[in-house]
Amino acid sequence: MTAKIIVAKAGDNAVYKPAPISARHVLAGDPVARNSVLFLSEDKLQITLLWHCTAGSFRWFYDEDEICQIIEGGMTLHFDEGGTRVCGSGDTVYFQAGTTCVWVIENEVRKIAYFREPAPFFFALPLRVLRKLVDKSGLRRFQRTRKAAAVTTPPRPATA
């Protein structure tokens, strides 16, 4: 299998298409959402897109995991489980599948979003067990870069 390299710029050259928010979810204002798909995996389980929305307030339910980076603007999130979070340009937000929250957008927001369809437990468990066996066996000589970076602990400061 040949590796594919895709280069995309999150800029004004993106072609946005309407991504309307259902009227039953809108709580205030008239938020208008648009998106531009940058990447869709072959198995259709991962998607990356640019998303833009004008001022308004709406309730949103996440049926898949989402990680987003706010590019411009911002919003306030009110989580059903409790808590409020103000997010702005440069912030990264993770929404676990099953999360419900209210978005309040004062002016507008633009984000790049990465969606992942979570695998059902009975499919994911065998893969996790296999990975653990491979890791323990030493068959994989090098950790994947992203995982190695995530589990690397910072050096402790020297004590006098």
Side-chain angles (χ1 to χ4, degrees):
M1 184 163 125
T2 305
K4 297 178 184 178
I5 298 174
I6 299 172
V7 178
K9 183 180 179 204
D12 295 328
N13 297 335
V15 177
Y16 286 91
K17 295 181 179 178
I21 298 167
S22 171
R24 67 184 176 156
H25 295 140
V26 175
L27 304 173
D30 184 24
V32 176
R34 304 174 300 137
N35 67 33
S36 178
V37 175
L38 298 177
F39 172 78
L40 179 63
S41 65
E42 288 183 34
D43 61 8
K44 311 280 192 271
L45 295 177
Q46 295 180 345
I47 185 170
T48 302
L49 56 82
L50 292 172
W51 185 82
H52 174 267
C53 189
T54 60
S57 176
F58 54 90
R59 177 173 301 284
W60 202 253
F61 173 77
Y62 292 85
D63 57 355
E64 56 193 0
D65 293 341
E66 176 184 338
I67 298 173
C68 67
Q69 174 96 33
I70 309 304
I71 299 170
E72 290 179 28
M75 72 286 195
T76 301
L77 302 170
H78 301 278
F79 294 93
D80 284 5
E81 300 84 25
T84 298
R85 186 80 162 167
V86 177
C87 304
S89 183
D91 288 342
T92 302
V93 185
Y94 169 68
F95 300 98
Q96 184 176 14
T99 300
T100 302
C101 66
V102 172
W103 282 61
V104 179
I105 302 170
E106 294 288 328
N107 294 310
E108 65 179 356
V109 65
R110 185 161 48 156
K111 68 180 182 176
I112 184 166
Y114 310 92
F115 298 92
R116 182 184 70 87
E117 184 76 32
F121 180 77
F122 55 88
F123 286 130
L125 182 61
L127 181 59
R128 290 173 65 191
V129 168
L130 179 62
R131 284 183 179 163
K132 192 164 281 246
L133 289 172
V134 168
D135 287 346
K136 288 189 181 286
S137 72
L139 293 175
R140 183 179 5 213
R141 296 183 64 203
F142 303 101
Q143 286 286 339
R144 286 180 260 161
T145 305
R146 65 185 168 98
K147 280 202 172 182
V151 297
T152 302
T153 55
R156 292 184 167 198
T159 55

PDB file of all heavy atoms in Angstrom, residues 21-33:
ATOM      1  N   ILE A  21     -27.931  23.871  11.041  1.00  0.00           N
ATOM      2  CA  ILE A  21     -28.246  23.382  12.375  1.00  0.00           C
ATOM      3  C   ILE A  21     -29.767  23.274  12.449  1.00  0.00           C
ATOM      4  O   ILE A  21     -30.471  24.232  12.131  1.00  0.00           O
ATOM      5  CB  ILE A  21     -27.711  24.349  13.448  1.00  0.00           C
ATOM      6  CG1 ILE A  21     -26.183  24.430  13.348  1.00  0.00           C
ATOM      7  CG2 ILE A  21     -28.154  23.922  14.848  1.00  0.00           C
ATOM      8  CD1 ILE A  21     -25.570  25.559  14.136  1.00  0.00           C
ATOM      9  N   SER A  22     -30.258  22.125  12.838  1.00  0.00           N
ATOM     10  CA  SER A  22     -31.702  21.899  12.902  1.00  0.00           C
ATOM     11  C   SER A  22     -32.377  22.962  13.768  1.00  0.00           C
ATOM     12  O   SER A  22     -31.893  23.293  14.862  1.00  0.00           O
ATOM     13  CB  SER A  22     -31.981  20.508  13.478  1.00  0.00           C
ATOM     14  OG  SER A  22     -33.345  20.352  13.733  1.00  0.00           O
ATOM     15  N   ALA A  23     -33.500  23.481  13.299  1.00  0.00           N
ATOM     16  CA  ALA A  23     -34.249  24.515  14.034  1.00  0.00           C
ATOM     17  C   ALA A  23     -34.626  24.041  15.434  1.00  0.00           C
ATOM     18  O   ALA A  23     -34.697  24.846  16.369  1.00  0.00           O
ATOM     19  CB  ALA A  23     -35.502  24.908  13.250  1.00  0.00           C
ATOM     20  N   ARG A  24     -34.829  22.743  15.629  1.00  0.00           N
ATOM     21  CA  ARG A  24     -35.210  22.245  16.960  1.00  0.00           C
ATOM     22  C   ARG A  24     -34.049  22.329  17.959  1.00  0.00           C
ATOM     23  O   ARG A  24     -34.266  22.265  19.160  1.00  0.00           O
ATOM     24  CB  ARG A  24     -35.757  20.827  16.877  1.00  0.00           C
ATOM     25  CG  ARG A  24     -34.730  19.826  16.468  1.00  0.00           C
ATOM     26  CD  ARG A  24     -35.304  18.447  16.295  1.00  0.00           C
ATOM     27  NE  ARG A  24     -34.232  17.606  15.813  1.00  0.00           N
ATOM     28  CZ  ARG A  24     -34.178  16.327  15.949  1.00  0.00           C
ATOM     29  NH1 ARG A  24     -35.171  15.695  16.527  1.00  0.00           N
ATOM     30  NH2 ARG A  24     -33.179  15.648  15.483  1.00  0.00           N
ATOM     31  N   HIS A  25     -32.805  22.466  17.445  1.00  0.00           N
ATOM     32  CA  HIS A  25     -31.646  22.592  18.328  1.00  0.00           C
ATOM     33  C   HIS A  25     -31.280  24.040  18.629  1.00  0.00           C
ATOM     34  O   HIS A  25     -30.562  24.313  19.585  1.00  0.00           O
ATOM     35  CB  HIS A  25     -30.431  21.879  17.727  1.00  0.00           C
ATOM     36  CG  HIS A  25     -30.604  20.406  17.627  1.00  0.00           C
ATOM     37  ND1 HIS A  25     -30.168  19.672  16.550  1.00  0.00           N
ATOM     38  CD2 HIS A  25     -31.193  19.515  18.459  1.00  0.00           C
ATOM     39  CE1 HIS A  25     -30.480  18.411  16.723  1.00  0.00           C
ATOM     40  NE2 HIS A  25     -31.104  18.290  17.877  1.00  0.00           N
ATOM     41  N   VAL A  26     -31.752  24.970  17.784  1.00  0.00           N
ATOM     42  CA  VAL A  26     -31.417  26.386  17.963  1.00  0.00           C
ATOM     43  C   VAL A  26     -32.179  26.933  19.168  1.00  0.00           C
ATOM     44  O   VAL A  26     -33.392  26.780  19.284  1.00  0.00           O
ATOM     45  CB  VAL A  26     -31.745  27.198  16.694  1.00  0.00           C
ATOM     46  CG1 VAL A  26     -31.521  28.687  16.930  1.00  0.00           C
ATOM     47  CG2 VAL A  26     -30.896  26.720  15.522  1.00  0.00           C
ATOM     48  N   LEU A  27     -31.434  27.593  20.070  1.00  0.00           N
ATOM     49  CA  LEU A  27     -32.026  28.160  21.278  1.00  0.00           C
ATOM     50  C   LEU A  27     -32.177  29.678  21.178  1.00  0.00           C
ATOM     51  O   LEU A  27     -33.062  30.253  21.802  1.00  0.00           O
ATOM     52  CB  LEU A  27     -31.176  27.805  22.503  1.00  0.00           C
ATOM     53  CG  LEU A  27     -30.936  26.305  22.729  1.00  0.00           C
ATOM     54  CD1 LEU A  27     -29.959  26.093  23.856  1.00  0.00           C
ATOM     55  CD2 LEU A  27     -32.255  25.597  23.003  1.00  0.00           C
ATOM     56  N   ALA A  28     -31.294  30.341  20.427  1.00  0.00           N
ATOM     57  CA  ALA A  28     -31.347  31.797  20.281  1.00  0.00           C
ATOM     58  C   ALA A  28     -30.626  32.200  19.000  1.00  0.00           C
ATOM     59  O   ALA A  28     -29.678  31.544  18.565  1.00  0.00           O
ATOM     60  CB  ALA A  28     -30.699  32.480  21.487  1.00  0.00           C
ATOM     61  N   GLY A  29     -31.092  33.303  18.412  1.00  0.00           N
ATOM     62  CA  GLY A  29     -30.453  33.823  17.212  1.00  0.00           C
ATOM     63  C   GLY A  29     -30.748  32.971  15.998  1.00  0.00           C
ATOM     64  O   GLY A  29     -31.685  32.165  15.983  1.00  0.00           O
ATOM     65  N   ASP A  30     -29.926  33.160  14.978  1.00  0.00           N
ATOM     66  CA  ASP A  30     -30.069  32.426  13.714  1.00  0.00           C
ATOM     67  C   ASP A  30     -28.687  31.962  13.256  1.00  0.00           C
ATOM     68  O   ASP A  30     -28.146  32.475  12.282  1.00  0.00           O
ATOM     69  CB  ASP A  30     -30.720  33.338  12.665  1.00  0.00           C
ATOM     70  CG  ASP A  30     -30.993  32.603  11.360  1.00  0.00           C
ATOM     71  OD1 ASP A  30     -31.121  31.367  11.384  1.00  0.00           O
ATOM     72  OD2 ASP A  30     -31.061  33.289  10.315  1.00  0.00           O
ATOM     73  N   PRO A  31     -28.083  31.007  13.995  1.00  0.00           N
ATOM     74  CA  PRO A  31     -26.735  30.572  13.621  1.00  0.00           C
ATOM     75  C   PRO A  31     -26.729  29.888  12.254  1.00  0.00           C
ATOM     76  O   PRO A  31     -27.572  29.034  11.971  1.00  0.00           O
ATOM     77  CB  PRO A  31     -26.348  29.595  14.732  1.00  0.00           C
ATOM     78  CG  PRO A  31     -27.640  29.119  15.298  1.00  0.00           C
ATOM     79  CD  PRO A  31     -28.623  30.239  15.112  1.00  0.00           C
ATOM     80  N   VAL A  32     -25.799  30.312  11.417  1.00  0.00           N
ATOM     81  CA  VAL A  32     -25.641  29.722  10.081  1.00  0.00           C
ATOM     82  C   VAL A  32     -24.294  29.010  10.061  1.00  0.00           C
ATOM     83  O   VAL A  32     -23.243  29.635  10.242  1.00  0.00           O
ATOM     84  CB  VAL A  32     -25.702  30.808   8.984  1.00  0.00           C
ATOM     85  CG1 VAL A  32     -25.442  30.191   7.620  1.00  0.00           C
ATOM     86  CG2 VAL A  32     -27.053  31.518   9.013  1.00  0.00           C
ATOM     87  N   ALA A  33     -24.316  27.695   9.848  1.00  0.00           N
ATOM     88  CA  ALA A  33     -23.100  26.887   9.846  1.00  0.00           C
ATOM     89  C   ALA A  33     -22.774  26.422   8.432  1.00  0.00           C
ATOM     90  O   ALA A  33     -23.665  26.136   7.635  1.00  0.00           O
ATOM     91  CB  ALA A  33     -23.259  25.680  10.767  1.00  0.00           C
TER      92      ALA A  33
END
